[in-house]
mmCIF file of all heavy atoms in Angstrom:
data_model
loop_
_atom_site.group_PDB
_atom_site.id
_atom_site.type_symbol
_atom_site.label_atom_id
_atom_site.label_comp_id
_atom_site.label_asym_id
_atom_site.label_seq_id
_atom_site.Cartn_x
_atom_site.Cartn_y
_atom_site.Cartn_z
ATOM 1 N N GLN A 181 -5.800 0.406 -4.287
ATOM 2 C CA GLN A 181 -4.954 0.361 -3.182
ATOM 3 C C GLN A 181 -5.595 1.225 -2.020
ATOM 4 O O GLN A 181 -5.914 2.346 -2.248
ATOM 5 C CB GLN A 181 -3.490 0.748 -3.423
ATOM 6 C CG GLN A 181 -2.607 0.644 -2.288
ATOM 7 C CD GLN A 181 -1.175 1.042 -2.513
ATOM 8 O OE1 GLN A 181 -0.548 1.667 -1.801
ATOM 9 N NE2 GLN A 181 -0.594 0.689 -3.770
ATOM 10 N N VAL A 182 -5.759 0.647 -0.840
ATOM 11 C CA VAL A 182 -6.554 1.216 0.190
ATOM 12 C C VAL A 182 -5.935 0.920 1.557
ATOM 13 O O VAL A 182 -5.455 -0.112 1.789
ATOM 14 C CB VAL A 182 -8.068 0.810 0.090
ATOM 15 C CG1 VAL A 182 -8.145 -0.604 0.466
ATOM 16 C CG2 VAL A 182 -8.935 1.543 0.945
ATOM 17 N N ILE A 183 -6.261 1.960 2.448
ATOM 18 C CA ILE A 183 -5.858 1.657 3.885
ATOM 19 C C ILE A 183 -6.929 0.842 4.447
ATOM 20 O O ILE A 183 -8.123 1.086 4.379
ATOM 21 C CB ILE A 183 -5.807 3.080 4.696
ATOM 22 C CG1 ILE A 183 -4.617 3.896 4.141
ATOM 23 C CG2 ILE A 183 -5.731 2.803 6.165
ATOM 24 C CD1 ILE A 183 -4.532 5.269 4.855
ATOM 25 N N TYR A 184 -6.520 -0.242 5.079
ATOM 26 C CA TYR A 184 -7.453 -1.175 5.777
ATOM 27 C C TYR A 184 -6.691 -1.779 6.912
ATOM 28 O O TYR A 184 -5.555 -2.487 6.676
ATOM 29 C CB TYR A 184 -7.868 -2.230 4.677
ATOM 30 C CG TYR A 184 -8.907 -3.289 5.306
ATOM 31 C CD1 TYR A 184 -9.907 -2.884 6.022
ATOM 32 C CD2 TYR A 184 -8.657 -4.558 5.081
ATOM 33 C CE1 TYR A 184 -10.967 -3.808 6.602
ATOM 34 C CE2 TYR A 184 -9.611 -5.528 5.639
ATOM 35 C CZ TYR A 184 -10.740 -5.176 6.395
ATOM 36 O OH TYR A 184 -11.676 -6.070 6.789
ATOM 37 N N ASN A 185 -7.165 -1.632 8.133
ATOM 38 C CA ASN A 185 -6.510 -2.254 9.257
ATOM 39 C C ASN A 185 -7.518 -2.393 10.399
ATOM 40 O O ASN A 185 -8.687 -2.043 10.224
ATOM 41 C CB ASN A 185 -5.203 -1.501 9.646
ATOM 42 C CG ASN A 185 -5.416 -0.077 9.989
ATOM 43 O OD1 ASN A 185 -6.401 0.367 10.682
ATOM 44 N ND2 ASN A 185 -4.683 0.789 9.408
ATOM 45 N N ILE A 186 -6.964 -2.876 11.572
ATOM 46 C CA ILE A 186 -7.856 -3.038 12.662
ATOM 47 C C ILE A 186 -8.583 -1.706 13.064
ATOM 48 O O ILE A 186 -9.749 -1.667 13.412
ATOM 49 C CB ILE A 186 -7.146 -3.549 13.843
ATOM 50 C CG1 ILE A 186 -6.572 -5.039 13.630
ATOM 51 C CG2 ILE A 186 -7.955 -3.547 15.197
ATOM 52 C CD1 ILE A 186 -5.633 -5.559 14.639
ATOM 53 N N PHE A 187 -7.809 -0.597 13.044
ATOM 54 C CA PHE A 187 -8.430 0.647 13.369
ATOM 55 C C PHE A 187 -9.327 1.143 12.279
ATOM 56 O O PHE A 187 -10.468 1.593 12.633
ATOM 57 C CB PHE A 187 -7.280 1.820 13.615
ATOM 58 C CG PHE A 187 -6.444 1.461 14.814
ATOM 59 C CD1 PHE A 187 -5.080 1.860 14.774
ATOM 60 C CD2 PHE A 187 -7.005 0.936 15.995
ATOM 61 C CE1 PHE A 187 -4.372 1.692 15.992
ATOM 62 C CE2 PHE A 187 -6.146 0.722 17.162
ATOM 63 C CZ PHE A 187 -4.869 0.988 17.115
ATOM 64 N N ASP A 188 -8.912 1.120 11.141
ATOM 65 C CA ASP A 188 -9.753 1.696 9.937
ATOM 66 C C ASP A 188 -10.347 0.456 9.227
ATOM 67 O O ASP A 188 -9.753 -0.158 8.286
ATOM 68 C CB ASP A 188 -9.012 2.496 8.912
ATOM 69 C CG ASP A 188 -9.809 3.156 7.909
ATOM 70 O OD1 ASP A 188 -11.051 2.777 7.809
ATOM 71 O OD2 ASP A 188 -9.391 4.049 7.128
ATOM 72 N N GLN A 189 -11.574 0.096 9.647
ATOM 73 C CA GLN A 189 -12.243 -1.074 9.001
ATOM 74 C C GLN A 189 -13.322 -0.508 7.989
ATOM 75 O O GLN A 189 -14.114 -1.439 7.519
ATOM 76 C CB GLN A 189 -12.930 -1.842 10.092
ATOM 77 C CG GLN A 189 -11.916 -2.372 11.206
ATOM 78 C CD GLN A 189 -12.602 -3.207 12.210
ATOM 79 O OE1 GLN A 189 -13.486 -3.975 11.983
ATOM 80 N NE2 GLN A 189 -12.047 -3.282 13.365
ATOM 81 N N ALA A 190 -13.383 0.696 7.639
ATOM 82 C CA ALA A 190 -14.402 1.232 6.778
ATOM 83 C C ALA A 190 -14.409 0.519 5.412
ATOM 84 O O ALA A 190 -15.519 0.382 4.940
ATOM 85 C CB ALA A 190 -14.207 2.756 6.672
ATOM 86 N N PRO A 191 -13.288 0.274 4.779
ATOM 87 C CA PRO A 191 -13.366 -0.496 3.535
ATOM 88 C C PRO A 191 -14.281 -1.740 3.416
ATOM 89 O O PRO A 191 -14.804 -2.032 2.327
ATOM 90 C CB PRO A 191 -11.907 -0.839 3.125
ATOM 91 C CG PRO A 191 -11.074 0.187 3.825
ATOM 92 C CD PRO A 191 -11.866 0.495 5.131
ATOM 93 N N ALA A 192 -14.382 -2.259 4.512
ATOM 94 C CA ALA A 192 -15.242 -3.553 4.571
ATOM 95 C C ALA A 192 -16.735 -3.325 4.379
ATOM 96 O O ALA A 192 -17.472 -4.226 4.117
ATOM 97 C CB ALA A 192 -15.005 -4.350 5.890
ATOM 98 N N GLU A 193 -17.133 -2.058 4.515
ATOM 99 C CA GLU A 193 -18.556 -1.735 4.478
ATOM 100 C C GLU A 193 -19.030 -1.665 3.006
ATOM 101 O O GLU A 193 -20.051 -2.394 2.710
ATOM 102 C CB GLU A 193 -18.833 -0.436 5.208
ATOM 103 C CG GLU A 193 -18.531 -0.395 6.572
ATOM 104 C CD GLU A 193 -18.636 1.009 7.226
ATOM 105 O OE1 GLU A 193 -18.864 1.975 6.541
ATOM 106 O OE2 GLU A 193 -18.470 1.135 8.544
ATOM 107 N N GLU A 194 -18.365 -1.023 2.257
ATOM 108 C CA GLU A 194 -18.795 -0.882 0.703
ATOM 109 C C GLU A 194 -17.699 -1.268 -0.299
ATOM 110 O O GLU A 194 -18.050 -1.910 -1.238
ATOM 111 C CB GLU A 194 -19.366 0.446 0.543
ATOM 112 C CG GLU A 194 -20.629 0.833 1.188
ATOM 113 C CD GLU A 194 -21.171 2.227 0.752
ATOM 114 O OE1 GLU A 194 -20.668 3.285 1.379
ATOM 115 O OE2 GLU A 194 -21.949 2.338 -0.069
ATOM 116 N N LEU A 195 -16.469 -0.789 -0.054
ATOM 117 C CA LEU A 195 -15.532 -0.829 -1.095
ATOM 118 C C LEU A 195 -15.017 -2.352 -1.316
ATOM 119 O O LEU A 195 -15.114 -2.804 -2.453
ATOM 120 C CB LEU A 195 -14.268 -0.115 -0.649
ATOM 121 C CG LEU A 195 -13.137 -0.038 -1.747
ATOM 122 C CD1 LEU A 195 -13.682 0.496 -3.043
ATOM 123 C CD2 LEU A 195 -11.926 0.678 -1.269
ATOM 124 N N LEU A 196 -14.789 -3.190 -0.273
ATOM 125 C CA LEU A 196 -14.401 -4.495 -0.518
ATOM 126 C C LEU A 196 -15.574 -5.375 -1.125
ATOM 127 O O LEU A 196 -15.168 -6.105 -2.062
ATOM 128 C CB LEU A 196 -13.780 -5.120 0.922
ATOM 129 C CG LEU A 196 -12.652 -4.446 1.478
ATOM 130 C CD1 LEU A 196 -12.209 -5.276 2.666
ATOM 131 C CD2 LEU A 196 -11.543 -4.178 0.458
ATOM 132 N N PRO A 197 -16.698 -5.302 -0.651
ATOM 133 C CA PRO A 197 -17.785 -5.943 -1.379
ATOM 134 C C PRO A 197 -17.949 -5.549 -2.816
ATOM 135 O O PRO A 197 -18.223 -6.343 -3.716
ATOM 136 C CB PRO A 197 -19.082 -5.588 -0.557
ATOM 137 C CG PRO A 197 -18.534 -5.275 0.858
ATOM 138 C CD PRO A 197 -17.258 -4.548 0.551
ATOM 139 N N ALA A 198 -17.827 -4.284 -3.101
ATOM 140 C CA ALA A 198 -17.875 -3.781 -4.503
ATOM 141 C C ALA A 198 -16.742 -4.398 -5.380
ATOM 142 O O ALA A 198 -16.958 -4.700 -6.462
ATOM 143 C CB ALA A 198 -17.769 -2.252 -4.553
ATOM 144 N N CYS A 199 -15.517 -4.438 -4.751
ATOM 145 C CA CYS A 199 -14.489 -4.968 -5.526
ATOM 146 C C CYS A 199 -14.577 -6.505 -5.798
ATOM 147 O O CYS A 199 -14.387 -6.993 -6.941
ATOM 148 C CB CYS A 199 -13.113 -4.715 -4.704
ATOM 149 S SG CYS A 199 -12.596 -3.084 -4.655
ATOM 150 N N ALA A 200 -15.192 -7.130 -4.851
ATOM 151 C CA ALA A 200 -15.377 -8.557 -5.000
ATOM 152 C C ALA A 200 -16.545 -8.851 -5.996
ATOM 153 O O ALA A 200 -16.396 -9.662 -6.938
ATOM 154 C CB ALA A 200 -15.874 -9.257 -3.761
ATOM 155 N N GLU A 201 -17.443 -7.902 -6.140
ATOM 156 C CA GLU A 201 -18.605 -8.047 -7.143
ATOM 157 C C GLU A 201 -18.095 -7.790 -8.495
ATOM 158 O O GLU A 201 -18.494 -8.392 -9.529
ATOM 159 C CB GLU A 201 -19.797 -7.167 -6.748
ATOM 160 C CG GLU A 201 -20.973 -7.156 -7.763
ATOM 161 C CD GLU A 201 -22.012 -6.094 -7.331
ATOM 162 O OE1 GLU A 201 -21.968 -5.471 -6.292
ATOM 163 O OE2 GLU A 201 -22.915 -5.991 -8.207
ATOM 164 N N HIS A 202 -17.253 -6.818 -8.630
ATOM 165 C CA HIS A 202 -16.839 -6.400 -9.960
ATOM 166 C C HIS A 202 -15.491 -6.874 -10.410
ATOM 167 O O HIS A 202 -14.940 -6.436 -11.454
ATOM 168 C CB HIS A 202 -16.894 -4.744 -9.982
ATOM 169 C CG HIS A 202 -18.259 -4.184 -9.933
ATOM 170 N ND1 HIS A 202 -19.125 -4.064 -10.916
ATOM 171 C CD2 HIS A 202 -18.880 -3.721 -8.749
ATOM 172 C CE1 HIS A 202 -20.329 -3.564 -10.448
ATOM 173 N NE2 HIS A 202 -20.231 -3.319 -9.107
#
Side-chain angles (χ1 to χ4, degrees):
Q181 184 177 138
V182 65
I183 293 176
Y184 181 49
N185 57 47
I186 293 170
F187 292 147
D188 187 351
Q189 302 181 31
E193 295 173 1
E194 293 187 274
L195 183 64
L196 298 189
C199 288
E201 179 183 354
H202 295 278

